[in-house]
Amino acid sequence: MIKSWSDLQSQPTVARIVTNSLERDRIAHAYLLDGMKGTGKKEVSYLFAKSLLCRERTGVNPCQACSNCKRIDSRNHPDVHVLEPDGNSIKKQQIQYLQEEFTKTGLESKRKIYIIEHADKMTKNAANSLLKFLEEPNQETYAFLLTENVNQMLNTIISRCQPLSFRALTSEGLVNKLMAEDISLPLAKSAASLTNSLGEAVELCRDDWFALARNLVIKLYEAIFNRPQASLLFIQEKWMPHFSDRRQLEIGLDLMLFIYKDMLYAQLSKEGQMVFVDEKELIQKLALQTTQQRVTEHLSYILQSKSRLASNVNPHLLMEQLALNLQEGY
Ligand SMILES: [Zn+2]
């Protein structure tokens, strides 16, 4: 959990905008926090709420110890309301309930805060209700709208909010978040190389299909070097049944690309950048048997296969051709 604005190193722009407005006491009545899952929107909205309500604030940072800070942390401050989709959407009644709450004066202070998660999931009626609310803001009311899909929100709402755009996680940041979810380093590194969305990466890692896909990539890689005559049979019997549609095969080819890139990292003594960290010894050993130029050629074969996959080529033939190309010269 971030405890102060200087902890927010992954989102320097957001931190700068927020601390500037806190320092100058020029707080907008509505903020739109947009960015992918896992980028810290919720944490920032809670920290902001604490900065606004803390009784012992030092500079821009909340004390984290007063009764207001503590109750915001435990989600039971009477003047901080959090709205989430009820089922698939945020309904008009939910916004109306919120508005009724806000016509009462703040229970404890004059300030009232509402945080709407997945604000893009408001129904049209809900959004129109909220719009009226945003058009006539109460002096001491602050709204934080959080979304992963800003393009699905009404322009009329967007234009009434101060934007806070959260940038995507770096690959390293994503790996750390995945490991905090008890996902192993090799799996986390593989997923983080395929996507920079935390949601997608978690989904991949929790799917047994992905772990098995990774194992098949290692086996094919090893077969190409050590048992080339067996690789075509392997493709037919093991590979094709697992990578049975184009999207899956694309992931398979991407993973092939990463394991060959790892070979290049091994040759350049940059093992820290490897994706298949659990196969470091095998990759280092095979990297010694070839040259950087050959590996670069191999990478281009894999990239060609990826682009041919996008056209309507037979996937089985494509894989066989790739295996033959990768075996050249051994
Ligand atoms: Zn406090």
Side-chain angles (χ1 to χ4, degrees):
M1 195 179 66
I2 44 170
K3 293 204 179 297
S4 75
W5 293 104
S6 53
D7 288 345
L8 194 64
Q9 281 155 4
S10 59
Q11 303 293 345
T13 312
V14 169
R16 185 172 44 77
I17 295 173
V18 174
T19 49
N20 272 346
S21 54
L22 284 168
E23 273 162 10
R24 294 189 289 155
D25 202 22
R26 296 185 65 148
I27 321 286
H29 284 290
Y31 288 87
L32 180 63
L33 289 71
D34 86 274
M36 277 194 270
K37 186 176 169 147
T39 46
K41 301 183 292 299
K42 206 159 145 185
E43 284 180 297
V44 163
S45 66
Y46 280 97
L47 186 64
F48 209 152
K50 282 190 267 185
S51 285
L52 290 172
L53 294 181
C54 177
R55 295 173 200 267
E56 308 277 342
R57 201 172 97 183
T58 341
V60 294
N61 291 314
C63 73
Q64 305 288 355
C66 72
S67 65
N68 280 349
C69 285
K70 283 189 166 162
R71 282 182 301 170
I72 292 171
D73 275 338
S74 58
R75 312 286 189 257
N76 60 12
H77 195 291
D79 294 326
V80 179
H81 291 261
V82 181
L83 216 63
E84 292 171 346
D86 173 14
N88 286 328
S89 60
I90 296 174
K91 303 185 171 62
K92 189 181 174 188
Q93 295 90 305
Q94 291 177 274
I95 302 288
Q96 278 173 337
Y97 171 78
L98 198 66
Q99 286 164 335
E100 279 159 25
E101 284 298 304
F102 280 109
T103 52
K104 303 169 189 167
T105 36
L107 288 175
E108 308 222 350
S109 69
K110 278 188 259 158
R111 286 189 163 171
K112 280 183 156 275
I113 292 164
Y114 58 101
I115 298 169
I116 303 182
E117 291 185 36
H118 302 286
D120 53 283
K121 299 222 164 107
M122 280 186 284
T123 63
K124 211 170 170 204
N125 282 337
N128 282 324
S129 248
L130 179 73
L131 194 56
K132 281 194 213 124
F133 206 32
L134 294 175
E135 279 167 345
E136 302 155 12
N138 179 300
Q139 209 51 34
E140 296 277 1
T141 298
Y142 303 95
F144 298 97
L145 277 52
L146 280 50
T147 180
E148 291 164 25
N149 302 293
V150 69
N151 50 7
Q152 283 172 30
M153 293 189 57
L154 291 179
N155 280 330
T156 41
I157 289 190
I158 297 173
S159 66
R160 284 188 168 73
C161 300
Q162 154 103 50
L164 293 176
S165 290
F166 286 62
R167 63 182 196 190
L169 289 167
T170 60
S171 176
E172 198 190 342
L174 186 51
V175 167
N176 290 337
K177 291 236 172 196
L178 290 170
M179 288 176 70
E181 304 253 347
D182 281 335
I183 289 164
S184 70
L185 178 66
L187 218 50
K189 281 207 152 199
S190 305
S193 306
L194 286 166
T195 173
N196 53 9
S197 150
L198 178 64
E200 269 177 43
V202 169
E203 212 174 291
L204 271 176
C205 293
R206 297 247 157 96
D207 187 347
D208 293 339
W209 179 89
F210 185 58
L212 193 51
R214 233 183 136 269
N215 284 339
L216 289 172
V217 166
I218 296 164
K219 289 210 171 98
L220 179 60
Y221 168 73
E222 202 204 345
I224 283 168
F225 282 91
N226 292 338
R227 290 168 290 114
Q229 65 285 16
S231 57
L232 295 189
L233 192 63
F234 177 85
I235 287 172
Q236 187 187 329
E237 290 186 342
K238 306 276 187 210
W239 182 278
M240 293 317 295
H242 192 70
F243 298 92
S244 56
D245 67 37
R246 269 166 213 276
R247 169 75 192 124
Q248 291 177 333
L249 191 50
E250 206 183 332
I251 293 178
L253 288 173
D254 276 329
L255 292 171
M256 284 295 283
L257 200 62
F258 302 150
I259 206 166
Y260 275 86
K261 269 194 196 164
D262 283 353
M263 213 157 41
L264 213 49
Y265 289 134
Q267 288 169 335
L268 299 167
S269 300
K270 288 184 175 172
E271 278 85 353
Q273 308 221 34
M274 286 172 68
V275 171
F276 285 79
V277 281
D278 49 339
E279 296 297 333
K280 197 153 106 181
E281 280 175 27
L282 171 73
I283 293 168
Q284 282 172 326
K285 191 175 129 221
L286 296 179
L288 287 175
Q289 298 173 18
T290 184
T291 62
Q292 278 179 38
Q293 197 198 336
R294 290 288 298 145
V295 178
T296 312
E297 281 165 24
H298 289 154
L299 287 170
S300 70
Y301 288 137
I302 302 169
L303 286 170
Q304 278 165 26
S305 304
K306 272 193 70 180
S307 61
R308 285 180 63 213
L309 185 66
S311 61
N312 242 349
V313 63
N314 177 307
H316 193 172
L317 290 179
L318 177 120
M319 281 309 298
E320 285 186 348
Q321 187 58 54
L322 176 62
L324 293 172
N325 284 338
L326 294 175
Q327 283 166 22
E328 260 174 42
Y330 294 102

